Amino acid sequence: MLQLNNPSLLKKSLFINGKWLKSKITTTVTNPFDNSTISTVSLCDKKQCNDAITYAQTAFKSWREFTAKQRSNLLYKWYELILANKKDLAQIITYEQGKPLAEALGEIVYGASYIQWFAEQAKRIDGDIIPPPNSDQRIACIKQPIGVVACITPWNFPNAMLARKIAPALAAGCTVVCKPSELTPLSALALTELSRQAGIPTGVINILMGDAAMIGKQFCASKIIKKLSFTGSTAVGKLLAAQCVDTLKRITMELGGNAPFIVFEDANIDSAVEGLMASKYRNSGQTCVCTNRILVQKPIAKIFKQKLIDAVKSQLVVGFGANKDVTTGPLINQQACLKVDELVNDALKKGAQIDYQDTTREGNLYPPTVLSNVSAQMEIAQQEIFGPVAIIIEFDNEQQALEIANNTDAGLAAYFFTQDYRRIYRVSEALEYGMVGINSGIISNEMAPFGGVKQSGMGREGSKYGLDDYLEIKYICLGGINS
Ligand code: SIN
């Protein structure tokens, strides 16, 4: 059972206009390790959803008038409270999402880093003075908050994805209505309670759980909401984007990936294996930037595969994330396990072979697996696996590797390992991806722009660019200077 030092963090209600509100309809939150019940939380109806949007609009009128420094100070206070409660927040993630405690703690620090970053960036929303075309005029540009923002976040990073959206919105002077995943709402609610304790004013942050289709429709149809920020699947992202057309809302979409991880024959094989372990098995393979396809140049394929199998065997311990030594928690639910199984079975039918598979198979645990003899055409290489299955595709030369890597609608993250500086330039420029890791399997941090191209979405989160989507540029022209 959850044993929190600060039990006030375990909330079960909707958070609307600064109040915790219960509702008659509830859902059960379960532990993905054994499907045991952790809590029940309230779900909103249409009226509560629309009330939250209206309250966010009212709060926007005063929040936008806070000075950048006041907003920054409040975000900073929130950041400090999150770090002070990080062990409890990590425990909540482990119980409702499944990732091991050490990784959950990493997520808390990662999420908090966006709040710290945007507390700093809030003070840097600079405008411009532009040379006018004639001497009688002066031209200025100011940046203003876009308005009420709707945020829809996934279950794989129940804390960090919400922090990554709320922090820039608040820094810019926007208010938010958020819908965390119904599978992992407790992390969002705990984070919200800390924002309340930090003194973030009433109505600035509103949190709704409920029927995803209903809430999505209300958000998209609302004229009050000026921007939608969504992290999740490409299919749902397309649906939401289409629903936003009528109100011409600004959208930020962080959607699915199909990351290639290319190992060239001149790579340092040990560091490539280390990078791959971090990229492939993070969160049991359930991240959008996880390696999906491992492309290895033929002359080193055998040795690379052996080193990978050795690393998987010796480093990964599958089990309940709260148990010491566990590195690889369960998948989010049984449906997720079935989907990974389907992809693996399809690949086996089409000629792939299992080179290694852990023996643990219990509940929603999926055994870390290494598959070779995979071809780029197989379903498993075309879809996001979202599980701890490494698939190896061999290639002959750089051009072929690039063709395979780019032959997908996705364009989120790509990785490659080489020691040739000329190849570093050639390949990083040729990869059709929003983010490229070279000799590095972990690339996400608050200082860098996170986002994809093609059908992996639009917009960037984090970095100095992360505020742009929450701001409007207003051009102001003053005439008659000389009269
Ligand atoms: C994601 O999987 O959507 C986010 C991963 C990250 O921030 O690194």
Side-chain angles (χ1 to χ4, degrees), residues 94-333:
T94 296
Y95 272 79
E96 70 173 347
Q97 196 275 336
K99 69 183 65 166
L101 271 176
E103 204 176 341
L105 210 51
E107 179 180 339
I108 299 303
V109 175
Y110 176 49
S113 74
Y114 285 97
I115 298 176
Q116 182 192 36
W117 173 260
F118 285 109
E120 291 155 356
Q121 292 300 100
K123 293 178 281 185
R124 300 189 184 111
I125 303 176
D126 301 337
D128 291 305
I129 300 292
I130 295 174
N134 48 61
S135 63
D136 200 36
Q137 289 179 323
R138 295 293 180 272
I139 294 176
C141 286
I142 59 168
K143 292 182 183 168
Q144 294 184 304
I146 192 166
V148 178
V149 175
C151 309
I152 303 181
T153 53
W155 50 262
N156 61 345
F157 289 85
N159 175 296
M161 294 303 101
L162 197 61
R164 186 154 89 183
K165 293 185 191 307
I166 297 180
L170 268 54
C174 301
T175 55
V176 294
V177 280
C178 308
K179 192 206 90 61
S181 165
E182 63 285 357
L183 299 176
T184 55
L186 302 178
S187 294
L189 297 175
L191 198 58
T192 305
E193 169 59 15
L194 291 173
S195 77
R196 194 193 62 75
Q197 291 178 17
I200 291 178
T202 295
V204 170
I205 298 177
N206 302 276
I207 306 283
L208 301 167
M209 288 74 65
D211 177 60
M214 181 275 285
I215 296 177
K217 250 191 202 151
Q218 297 307 305
F219 283 177
C220 295
S222 167
K223 284 190 186 166
I224 294 173
I225 291 175
K226 297 296 186 290
K227 172 187 165 64
L228 172 75
S229 179
F230 170 72
T231 296
S233 73
T234 301
V236 174
K238 285 181 184 178
L239 204 71
L240 290 168
Q243 289 176 5
C244 284
V245 167
D246 206 35
T247 52
L248 283 182
K249 251 182 248 324
R250 186 103 58 96
I251 49 175
T252 296
M253 296 272 158
E254 300 293 356
L255 308 177
N258 182 357
F261 186 105
I262 311 171
V263 189
F264 290 102
E265 60 188 336
D266 55 39
N268 176 324
I269 295 180
D270 290 327
S271 66
V273 169
E274 194 184 323
L276 179 64
M277 291 299 291
S279 163
K280 174 69 242 180
Y281 294 101
R282 180 179 174 216
N283 200 12
S284 298
Q286 302 172 107
T287 91
C288 303
V289 290
C290 270
T291 291
N292 212 52
R293 298 166 291 160
I294 306 159
L295 312 183
V296 187
Q297 200 155 9
K298 278 186 180 148
I300 56 159
K302 200 165 165 210
I303 173 88
F304 178 84
K305 190 168 78 177
Q306 193 50 55
K307 284 183 183 247
L308 173 62
I309 292 169
D310 292 346
V312 172
K313 260 190 206 169
S314 63
Q315 292 174 25
L316 301 187
V317 179
V318 188
F320 177 35
N323 290 345
K324 213 172 145 270
D325 299 332
V326 166
T327 61
T328 309
L331 299 192
I332 190 67
N333 53 29

Side-chain angles (χ1 to χ4, degrees), residues 2 27-41 91-98 155 181-186 320 330-334 364:
L2 270 173
T27 189
T28 304
V29 183
T30 56
N31 179 339
F33 172 68
D34 57 8
N35 301 316
S36 60
T37 298
I38 307 172
S39 185
T40 52
V41 297
Q91 206 189 134
I92 294 174
I93 292 185
T94 296
Y95 272 79
E96 70 173 347
Q97 196 275 336
W155 50 262
S181 165
E182 63 285 357
L183 299 176
T184 55
L186 302 178
F320 177 35
L331 299 192
I332 190 67
N333 53 29
Q334 195 196 9
N364 298 325

